[in-house]
């Protein structure tokens, strides 16, 4: 297996689109060579803890109402083209996502990170819920099979906040300026929401390379006689 670090933010629509395309490619190919690991990147690291009004945020970011409508109109069209059922108009506030990332980190330790990431996207883009809200996060955790009481205690403190901040800092120092971004095997970077066909090609090439490497290693082991020094 090869590590695939998925650098993402659950309020990023292109991260949802990118994940959908990657998931479809993995399903088509069938035998995944990847171990997925989710890594934090906040589009808005300076966002207030309470978040801010969604429309005000978008208009400030994209230069007014027309800019916001243009950018998110394109996103809505792309989401529809990818068969995604999203309700962007239902989103009332843009949240601070640190706690959502903390929950994802704890979920990864329990092997349910993908379920949590999917739920964060669902709650935000399909239901318009505030994914910085403690109650929403606890519901997501519980539905993924995590211990609600343990997660509540962790959320009450600052567990893993510093570690995630360092992780995010490292990503920015590597040159990551936006998400989604994928790092394959700690070496190769794939930037942006690649289409499904591109992912299928990447997955098959990596699977073939890993298989060849394994065959070569097996052949080398077989060539060494018992008791001989390799």
């Amino acid at each position: 297996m090869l590590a695939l670090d998925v650098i993402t933010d659950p309020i990023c629509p292109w991260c949802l689109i990118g994940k959908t395309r990657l998931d479809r490619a993995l399903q088509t190919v069938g035998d995944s060579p990847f171990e997925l690991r989710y890594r934090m990147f906040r589009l808005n690291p300076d966002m207030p803890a309470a978040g801010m009004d969604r429309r005000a945020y978008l208009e400030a970011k994209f230069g007014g109402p027309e800019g916001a409508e243009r950018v998110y109109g394109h996103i809505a069209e792309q989401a529809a083209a990818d068969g995604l059922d999203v309700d962007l108009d239902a989103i009332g506030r843009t949240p601070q996502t640190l706690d959502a990332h903390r929950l994802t980190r704890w979920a990864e330790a329990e092997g349910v990170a993908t379920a949590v990431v999917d739920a964060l996207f669902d709650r935000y883009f399909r239901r318009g819920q505030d994914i910085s809200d403690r109650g929403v996060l606890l519901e997501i955790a519980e539905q993924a099979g995590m211990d609600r009481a343990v997660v509540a205690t962790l959320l009450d403190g600052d567990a893993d906040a510093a570690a995630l901040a360092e992780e995010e800092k490292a990503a920015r120092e590597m040159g990551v300026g936006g998400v989604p971004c994928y790092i394959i095997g700690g070496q190769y970077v794939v930037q942006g929401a690649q289409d499904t066909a591109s992912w299928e090609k990447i997955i098959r090439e990596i699977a073939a390379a890993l298989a060849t490497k394994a065959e070569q290693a097996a052949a080398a082991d077989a060539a060494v006689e018992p008791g001989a020094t390799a």
Side-chain angles (χ1 to χ4, degrees), residues 9 26 29 129 133 142-143 163 169 175 201 224:
D9 193 351
L26 290 169
V29 174
Q129 294 182 359
D133 180 84
E142 189 171 27
Q143 289 169 4
K169 179 182 176 184
K201 183 174 184 291
V224 178

Side-chain angles (χ1 to χ4, degrees), residues 2-89:
L2 198 63
L4 175 59
D5 290 321
V6 182
I7 304 176
T8 185
D9 193 351
I11 63 166
C12 168
W14 289 109
C15 290
L16 170 59
I17 292 169
K19 185 178 187 304
T20 300
R21 294 171 176 176
L22 173 59
D23 287 347
R24 288 172 180 167
L26 290 169
Q27 185 175 17
T28 298
V29 174
D31 189 13
S32 171
F34 294 136
E35 174 193 357
L36 268 63
R37 306 187 304 192
Y38 296 96
R39 298 293 178 255
M40 181 173 88
F41 190 96
R42 291 172 295 170
L43 293 173
N44 311 291
D46 299 322
M47 178 68 68
M52 64 183 295
D53 177 79
R54 175 73 169 171
R55 181 165 293 279
Y57 162 74
L58 292 178
E59 291 180 2
K61 183 171 184 176
F62 297 113
E66 291 183 1
E69 289 178 10
R70 181 178 64 255
V71 170
Y72 266 78
H74 173 61
I75 289 170
E77 290 175 1
Q78 189 59 67
D82 278 275
L84 287 170
D85 179 20
V86 298
D87 188 355
L88 300 176
D89 292 334

Side-chain angles (χ1 to χ4, degrees), residues 126-147:
R126 296 187 179 92
R127 306 193 206 180
Q129 294 182 359
D130 181 353
I131 56 172
S132 68
D133 180 84
R134 175 191 174 93
V136 171
L137 293 174
L138 289 176
E139 284 181 7
I140 290 172
E142 189 171 27
Q143 289 169 4
M146 301 173 72
D147 188 306

Side-chain angles (χ1 to χ4, degrees), residues 9-11 40-42 44-45 47-49 95-106 120 131-132 137 155 157-166 168:
D9 193 351
I11 63 166
M40 181 173 88
F41 190 96
R42 291 172 295 170
N44 311 291
M47 178 68 68
Q96 164 63 256
T97 57
L98 176 60
D99 283 346
H101 284 291
R102 291 205 295 156
L103 178 60
T104 302
R105 187 180 183 91
W106 305 329
L120 288 167
I131 56 172
S132 68
L137 293 174
L155 286 172
D158 61 356
D160 290 313
L164 283 168
E166 285 299 315
E168 183 175 49

